[in-house]
Short mmCIF file of all heavy atoms in Angstrom, two decimals:
data_model
loop_
_atom_site.label_atom_id
_atom_site.label_comp_id
_atom_site.label_asym_id
_atom_site.label_seq_id
_atom_site.Cartn_x
_atom_site.Cartn_y
_atom_site.Cartn_z
N LEU A 558 14.25 -16.25 1.30
CA LEU A 558 12.86 -16.13 0.87
C LEU A 558 12.60 -14.77 0.25
O LEU A 558 11.93 -14.65 -0.78
CB LEU A 558 11.91 -16.35 2.05
CG LEU A 558 11.60 -17.79 2.43
CD1 LEU A 558 10.79 -17.82 3.73
CD2 LEU A 558 10.84 -18.49 1.33
N VAL A 559 13.09 -13.71 0.90
CA VAL A 559 12.93 -12.35 0.36
C VAL A 559 13.60 -12.26 -1.00
O VAL A 559 13.03 -11.72 -1.96
CB VAL A 559 13.54 -11.31 1.33
CG1 VAL A 559 13.51 -9.92 0.69
CG2 VAL A 559 12.78 -11.30 2.65
N TYR A 560 14.81 -12.79 -1.11
CA TYR A 560 15.54 -12.80 -2.38
C TYR A 560 14.74 -13.54 -3.45
O TYR A 560 14.64 -13.07 -4.60
CB TYR A 560 16.90 -13.45 -2.16
CG TYR A 560 17.64 -13.80 -3.44
CD1 TYR A 560 18.29 -12.82 -4.18
CD2 TYR A 560 17.69 -15.11 -3.90
CE1 TYR A 560 18.96 -13.13 -5.35
CE2 TYR A 560 18.35 -15.43 -5.07
CZ TYR A 560 18.99 -14.45 -5.79
OH TYR A 560 19.64 -14.76 -6.96
N SER A 561 14.16 -14.67 -3.09
CA SER A 561 13.38 -15.46 -4.05
C SER A 561 12.16 -14.69 -4.53
O SER A 561 11.79 -14.75 -5.72
CB SER A 561 12.95 -16.78 -3.41
OG SER A 561 14.06 -17.55 -3.02
N GLU A 562 11.51 -13.97 -3.61
CA GLU A 562 10.34 -13.17 -3.99
C GLU A 562 10.74 -12.07 -4.98
O GLU A 562 10.02 -11.80 -5.95
CB GLU A 562 9.71 -12.54 -2.74
CG GLU A 562 8.96 -13.51 -1.86
CD GLU A 562 7.68 -13.99 -2.49
OE1 GLU A 562 7.02 -13.21 -3.19
OE2 GLU A 562 7.32 -15.16 -2.29
N ILE A 563 11.88 -11.43 -4.72
CA ILE A 563 12.33 -10.37 -5.62
C ILE A 563 12.67 -10.92 -7.01
O ILE A 563 12.30 -10.34 -8.03
CB ILE A 563 13.55 -9.64 -5.02
CG1 ILE A 563 13.13 -8.89 -3.75
CG2 ILE A 563 14.17 -8.68 -6.02
CD1 ILE A 563 14.28 -8.29 -2.97
N ILE A 564 13.35 -12.07 -7.04
CA ILE A 564 13.69 -12.70 -8.32
C ILE A 564 12.43 -13.07 -9.08
O ILE A 564 12.33 -12.91 -10.31
CB ILE A 564 14.57 -13.95 -8.09
CG1 ILE A 564 15.94 -13.53 -7.56
CG2 ILE A 564 14.72 -14.75 -9.38
CD1 ILE A 564 16.73 -12.65 -8.49
N ARG A 565 11.43 -13.57 -8.35
CA ARG A 565 10.16 -13.95 -8.99
C ARG A 565 9.53 -12.74 -9.68
O ARG A 565 9.01 -12.84 -10.81
CB ARG A 565 9.20 -14.52 -7.95
CG ARG A 565 7.84 -14.93 -8.51
CD ARG A 565 7.00 -15.56 -7.41
NE ARG A 565 6.69 -14.61 -6.36
CZ ARG A 565 5.64 -13.78 -6.39
NH1 ARG A 565 4.83 -13.79 -7.43
NH2 ARG A 565 5.41 -12.96 -5.38
N LEU A 566 9.57 -11.57 -9.02
CA LEU A 566 8.97 -10.37 -9.60
C LEU A 566 9.76 -9.87 -10.81
O LEU A 566 9.19 -9.43 -11.80
CB LEU A 566 8.89 -9.28 -8.54
CG LEU A 566 7.79 -9.46 -7.50
CD1 LEU A 566 7.91 -8.40 -6.42
CD2 LEU A 566 6.42 -9.37 -8.16
N VAL A 567 11.09 -9.93 -10.71
CA VAL A 567 11.93 -9.49 -11.83
C VAL A 567 11.63 -10.31 -13.07
O VAL A 567 11.71 -9.81 -14.20
CB VAL A 567 13.41 -9.58 -11.43
CG1 VAL A 567 14.31 -9.36 -12.65
CG2 VAL A 567 13.74 -8.56 -10.35
N ARG A 568 11.26 -11.56 -12.87
CA ARG A 568 10.96 -12.44 -13.99
C ARG A 568 9.52 -12.29 -14.49
O ARG A 568 9.09 -13.04 -15.37
CB ARG A 568 11.21 -13.89 -13.58
CG ARG A 568 12.69 -14.20 -13.35
CD ARG A 568 12.90 -15.59 -12.78
NE ARG A 568 14.32 -15.90 -12.64
CZ ARG A 568 14.80 -16.99 -12.04
NH1 ARG A 568 13.94 -17.88 -11.53
NH2 ARG A 568 16.09 -17.19 -11.94
N LEU A 573 5.55 -6.24 -13.16
CA LEU A 573 6.46 -5.27 -12.54
C LEU A 573 6.45 -3.91 -13.23
O LEU A 573 6.39 -2.88 -12.56
CB LEU A 573 7.87 -5.85 -12.55
CG LEU A 573 8.93 -5.06 -11.79
CD1 LEU A 573 8.57 -4.96 -10.31
CD2 LEU A 573 10.30 -5.71 -11.95
N VAL A 654 7.96 -7.95 3.60
CA VAL A 654 9.19 -7.20 3.30
C VAL A 654 9.31 -6.96 1.80
O VAL A 654 9.66 -5.85 1.36
CB VAL A 654 10.43 -7.98 3.82
CG1 VAL A 654 11.72 -7.34 3.30
CG2 VAL A 654 10.43 -8.00 5.34
N ASN A 655 8.98 -7.96 1.00
CA ASN A 655 9.04 -7.81 -0.45
C ASN A 655 8.08 -6.72 -0.93
O ASN A 655 8.43 -5.89 -1.79
CB ASN A 655 8.69 -9.14 -1.13
CG ASN A 655 8.56 -9.01 -2.62
OD1 ASN A 655 9.52 -8.69 -3.31
ND2 ASN A 655 7.37 -9.25 -3.14
N ILE A 658 9.51 -3.35 -0.01
CA ILE A 658 10.63 -3.00 -0.89
C ILE A 658 10.10 -2.49 -2.23
O ILE A 658 10.59 -1.48 -2.75
CB ILE A 658 11.54 -4.23 -1.10
CG1 ILE A 658 12.32 -4.53 0.18
CG2 ILE A 658 12.52 -3.98 -2.25
CD1 ILE A 658 13.13 -5.81 0.13
N GLN A 659 9.08 -3.18 -2.76
CA GLN A 659 8.49 -2.71 -4.02
C GLN A 659 7.95 -1.29 -3.87
O GLN A 659 8.19 -0.42 -4.72
CB GLN A 659 7.33 -3.63 -4.42
CG GLN A 659 7.74 -4.92 -5.05
CD GLN A 659 6.51 -5.65 -5.56
OE1 GLN A 659 5.79 -5.16 -6.42
NE2 GLN A 659 6.26 -6.83 -5.03
#
Side-chain angles (χ1 to χ4, degrees):
L558 278 173
V559 174
Y560 167 77
S561 299
E562 287 289 325
I563 293 172
I564 292 299
R565 179 176 64 87
L566 284 174
V567 170
R568 292 173 176 173
L573 187 61
V654 170
N655 173 63
I658 289 173
Q659 282 187 62

